[in-house]
Amino acid sequence: MTTPDPDGLLAEQLLRLTRRVHRIQKRHLERDDLGVTPAQSRLLRTLAHYASPPRMADLAERLEVVPRAVTTLVDGLESSGKVRRMPDPANRRVTRIELTDEGHTTLRELRGARRSAAEEILAPLTEKERQVLGVLLDTLIEGDSGTRC
Amino acid sequence: MTTPDPDGLLAEQLLRLTRRVHRIQKRHLERDDLGVTPAQSRLLRTLAHYASPPRMADLAERLEVVPRAVTTLVDGLESSGKVRRMPDPANRRVTRIELTDEGHTTLRELRGARRSAAEEILAPLTEKERQVLGVLLDTLIEGDSGTRC
DNA sequence: CGTTCATTGTGAGTATAGGTAACAATGAGC
DNA sequence: GCTCATTGTTACCTATACTCACAATGAACG
């Protein structure tokens, strides 16, 4: 009651839980044999949110990683034919990333994997609790950009 | 309202948040220059929970990693003088892990780092919200061992 | 025009965290 | 004794993300 978070217990729970999320996600991805890693899956999903092909830098910002990390992810996805690097005619420094047809297909199949993984992870929670958790996590994530710099 | 978690959104928030936790934790550890990685910090903290020096296998189970991972962590901590491998007189296969004096000192200093890291992470939440989050995370973590096997 | 400076993506290398597989030493059961 | 399980470790592989340096390009400005 007095000390709900003595010395980072909550952060520890968070990390512990995430190792679990990671494992489950990986297992579901492997089960469906989609040939993408969790991080690649995230990039694919992010990609789908754009109306027009984003630049590498855009993806880096969205994914909250350094640009170099995006290069690695796109390398993998491109070599497996899920995305395509497209030169930007207006600015020859930028390359835009586009989903291929196969990428779209994978993305659809991925939805199933993601859904069942999420279901497994969130099984112990009721609908209501999931909503609450969602709000709390959102607050924490939002809080980041606010307190930054 | 109708679909609080369309296709693993919650899991994604969780992962995203954890990357943030990781970064913050790492930064705080580096700031204090304690010479331990986040995972090593976790092992040290786990170690403190035992009344008598645990075996490697015990630590692996508690940390939810394969024994091999513990070997690596202990290697690092031993080479920096924070823990000591002790042979078990009763069973010559097992090695027990003990905190050194320096390890105890580091652990104390670590508390500060952990606390400030946790504070930074949880800043956007009220006391009450933290409690709720704690319960939810606990439920999720507990749910694991239940549905396993 | 040329010089300087910022932007963009990437090569090279590193660190962290984790995993598998094989194995040697040891203990336990018959 | 022989067989089998346990314990930690050696050797190696993967995924993720980082820093640093750099080449190519674009922008600003004298």
Side-chain angles (χ1 to χ4, degrees):
Chain A
M1 294 295 173
T2 51
T3 58
D5 194 21
D7 39 11
L9 182 71
L10 238 157
E12 183 146 332
Q13 286 177 307
L14 217 48
L15 284 169
R16 195 168 153 202
L17 183 55
T18 299
R19 253 190 310 281
R20 204 192 139 211
V21 172
H22 230 103
R23 264 198 304 266
I24 292 177
Q25 201 182 19
K26 198 178 146 206
R27 176 155 46 79
H28 279 261
L29 284 175
E30 281 168 354
R31 176 172 57 75
D32 294 2
D33 201 26
L34 297 172
V36 291
T37 67
Q40 287 175 353
S41 153
R42 196 160 84 100
L43 195 150
L44 282 184
R45 228 177 130 255
T46 302
L47 217 41
H49 289 347
Y50 286 92
S52 65
R55 307 172 308 146
M56 302 284 281
D58 295 333
L59 290 172
E61 193 185 348
R62 273 261 198 145
L63 299 174
E64 299 176 283
V65 296
V66 296
R68 185 59 183 84
V70 178
T71 299
T72 305
L73 292 176
V74 170
D75 281 350
L77 287 169
E78 193 172 35
S79 78
S80 60
K82 308 242 187 315
V83 305
R84 200 176 7 234
R85 278 183 168 92
M86 298 286 282
D88 185 323
N91 186 343
R92 296 202 313 198
R93 282 173 302 181
V94 328
T95 65
R96 300 200 168 263
I97 308 305
E98 211 176 42
L99 277 169
T100 61
D101 287 350
E102 191 186 331
H104 276 110
T105 304
T106 303
L107 202 49
R108 266 192 302 276
E109 295 167 336
L110 231 77
R111 277 183 70 114
R114 291 189 74 86
R115 200 181 300 256
S116 54
E119 199 37 60
E120 181 178 346
I121 294 160
L122 300 174
L125 296 187
T126 66
E127 197 67 13
K128 177 118 190 176
E129 286 171 327
R130 294 180 197 195
Q131 285 182 20
V132 173
L133 179 60
V135 171
L136 289 177
L137 293 181
D138 233 18
T139 308
L140 284 175
I141 294 170
E142 289 306 312
D144 187 22
S145 35
T147 58
R148 172 172 297 172
C149 256
Chain B
M1 292 297 171
T2 50
T3 58
D5 194 22
D7 38 10
L9 182 71
L10 237 157
E12 182 146 333
Q13 287 177 306
L14 218 47
L15 283 169
R16 193 167 155 204
L17 184 55
T18 299
R19 253 190 309 280
R20 203 190 140 215
V21 172
H22 229 104
R23 263 197 305 266
I24 292 177
Q25 201 181 19
K26 198 178 147 205
R27 176 155 45 80
H28 281 261
L29 284 175
E30 281 167 355
R31 176 171 58 76
D32 294 3
D33 199 27
L34 297 172
V36 292
T37 67
Q40 287 175 353
S41 153
R42 195 161 87 100
L43 194 151
L44 282 184
R45 228 178 130 253
T46 303
L47 217 43
H49 288 346
Y50 287 91
S52 64
R55 308 171 308 148
M56 302 285 280
D58 295 334
L59 290 171
E61 193 185 348
R62 271 259 200 146
L63 298 173
E64 298 177 283
V65 297
V66 297
R68 184 56 184 87
V70 178
T71 298
T72 305
L73 293 176
V74 170
D75 281 350
L77 286 169
E78 193 172 35
S79 77
S80 61
K82 309 244 188 310
V83 304
R84 199 176 8 233
R85 278 183 169 93
M86 299 285 282
D88 185 322
N91 186 341
R92 298 201 314 201
R93 282 174 304 182
V94 329
T95 66
R96 300 199 168 264
I97 309 305
E98 212 177 41
L99 277 168
T100 62
D101 287 350
E102 191 186 331
H104 276 111
T105 304
T106 304
L107 201 50
R108 266 193 302 277
E109 294 167 338
L110 231 77
R111 277 183 71 114
R114 290 189 74 88
R115 201 182 301 256
S116 54
E119 200 37 58
E120 180 177 347
I121 293 161
L122 299 174
L125 296 187
T126 66
E127 198 67 13
K128 177 117 190 176
E129 286 171 327
R130 294 180 198 195
Q131 286 180 19
V132 173
L133 180 60
V135 171
L136 290 177
L137 293 182
D138 234 17
T139 308
L140 285 175
I141 293 170
E142 289 305 312
D144 187 23
S145 35
T147 58
R148 173 172 296 173
C149 258

